Amino acid sequence: GESVGLHLPTLSVQEGDNSIINCAYSNSASDYFIWYKQESGKGPQFIIDIRSNMDKRQGQRVTVLLNKTVKHLSLQIAATQPGDSAVYFCAENNNNQGGKLIFGQGTELSVKP
Amino acid sequence: DAGITQSPRHKVTETGTPVTLRCHQTENHRYMYWYRQDPGHGLRLIHYSYGVKDTDKGEVSDGYSVSRSKTEDFLLTLESATSSQTSVYFCAIRPGLAGSYEQYFGPGTRLTVT
C-alpha cells in the first residue's frame, strides 16, 4: 500500500517533566493493549499491558489509561529522563486470534536535558 | 532481547536472489512471529507460528514463506527478493500465558535489496 505520514508524531518534553503519549485504537472489540518502547536500532521493548476490564494500570514510573468509550489509550511517564527518548507504540489484540497484535504508527518522544 | 537472536543482522542482496532470515529462541516458547517495519507503516505481521510445523499467514505474507522444524528456530524466506522487500525484519516470541498476548522482540535484521 501507499506510505502515508512518513514523519512520526513527535512529543518533546523537558527532563523531569511528565510525558503523556496518546493512541487511538481501531477495533472496539479489542480486549488487550500493550505499550512498547523502541530505541534507535533496536527491537521494540515491552513496557506495560492492560486488559479491557481495567481503566488504569501502573508500573514503575509508567501508567496506562484506557478509555473504551472513545477507543483511546494513553501512556504516562513520570519524571521523564533522557533514557526515555525513543519511539513508543501501542498495540491491540482482538480476542486472541493467534495472539496477533495490531500496531499503531508510533510517537517519537524527545527528552531535552 | 529476551533470549532471541536473529541472523544475519545486516544483509545486502540483489533482486531475484533467495534470502533466508533466521530467528532463534532459547525460551522454548510456543508462539513465534515475523514482522517487517517500514516508515509510515509501523510493524506489520508477515507470518506466525503456533507450534512446530504449524504456521499461518499475516497481513503482508505475499512473497514470503516460513518454516519451523524445531521449537527454537523460525525461518523466513524470500523466494525471489524484490526492492519492495527492503525493510527491517523483526522476530518476536510469545509465552502464551492465559490472558496475556505480550510479545518479546529480537534485535532485527536490516535487509537491503538492490
Side-chain angles (χ1 to χ4, degrees):
Chain A
E2 296 264 324
S3 293
V4 180
L6 295 178
H7 299 288
L8 292 175
T10 300
L11 175 65
S12 183
V13 300
Q14 204 71 36
E15 180 178 0
D17 288 350
N18 296 335
S19 302
I20 300 176
I21 301 171
N22 296 305
C23 177
Y25 62 92
S26 57
N27 191 339
S28 58
S30 291
D31 57 0
Y32 180 85
F33 305 88
I34 301 180
W35 280 100
Y36 284 93
K37 172 187 181 183
Q38 187 176 24
E39 296 174 277
S40 181
K42 296 185 178 180
Q45 177 186 359
F46 172 82
I47 300 174
I48 192 169
D49 59 359
I50 188 169
R51 295 200 63 84
S52 60
N53 60 355
M54 302 172 70
D55 297 321
K56 178 180 179 179
R57 191 171 187 210
Q58 290 184 293
Q60 186 177 10
R61 273 201 314 120
V62 295
T63 301
V64 56
L65 298 177
L66 176 62
N67 185 331
K68 296 179 287 294
T69 303
V70 295
K71 294 190 290 185
H72 183 268
L73 195 65
S74 68
L75 178 71
Q76 300 178 0
I77 304 173
T80 313
Q81 302 168 359
D84 294 327
S85 294
V87 176
Y88 290 81
F89 296 94
C90 65
E92 61 189 287
N93 172 269
N94 174 15
N95 195 25
N96 196 353
Q97 295 192 37
K100 290 185 283 185
L101 296 174
I102 305 299
F103 285 84
Q105 294 296 305
T107 296
E108 183 172 7
L109 176 64
S110 175
V111 182
K112 296 177 289 186
Chain B
D1 289 316
I4 311 169
T5 56
Q6 294 185 230
S7 59
R9 294 293 314 279
H10 302 271
K11 186 169 182 67
V12 180
T13 192
E14 293 184 348
T15 298
T17 60
V19 177
T20 294
L21 308 183
R22 180 181 183 235
C23 177
H24 178 80
Q25 61 151 329
T26 58
E27 306 296 322
N28 201 37
H29 289 334
R30 177 181 174 188
Y31 299 92
M32 299 184 76
Y33 304 82
W34 274 109
Y35 292 88
R36 60 179 289 174
Q37 187 174 39
D38 305 289
H41 289 282
L43 283 156
R44 292 182 292 174
L45 182 65
I46 305 171
H47 281 279
Y48 67 103
S49 171
Y50 45 96
V52 173
K53 298 184 180 178
D54 290 325
T55 65
D56 207 348
K57 296 179 179 180
E59 63 178 306
V60 290
S61 59
D62 287 349
Y64 302 94
S65 63
V66 290
S67 66
R68 193 167 178 203
S69 59
K70 299 185 290 185
T71 299
E72 58 264 38
D73 289 325
F74 192 31
L75 304 180
L76 176 71
T77 298
L78 290 66
E79 301 291 347
S80 177
T82 67
S83 58
S84 65
Q85 293 176 312
T86 292
S87 188
V88 180
Y89 291 85
F90 288 101
C91 174
I93 62 175
R94 178 166 77 91
L97 300 174
S100 177
Y101 305 110
E102 62 198 75
Q103 296 179 18
Y104 297 95
F105 286 81
T109 294
R110 183 173 293 277
L111 177 67
T112 302
V113 183
T114 61

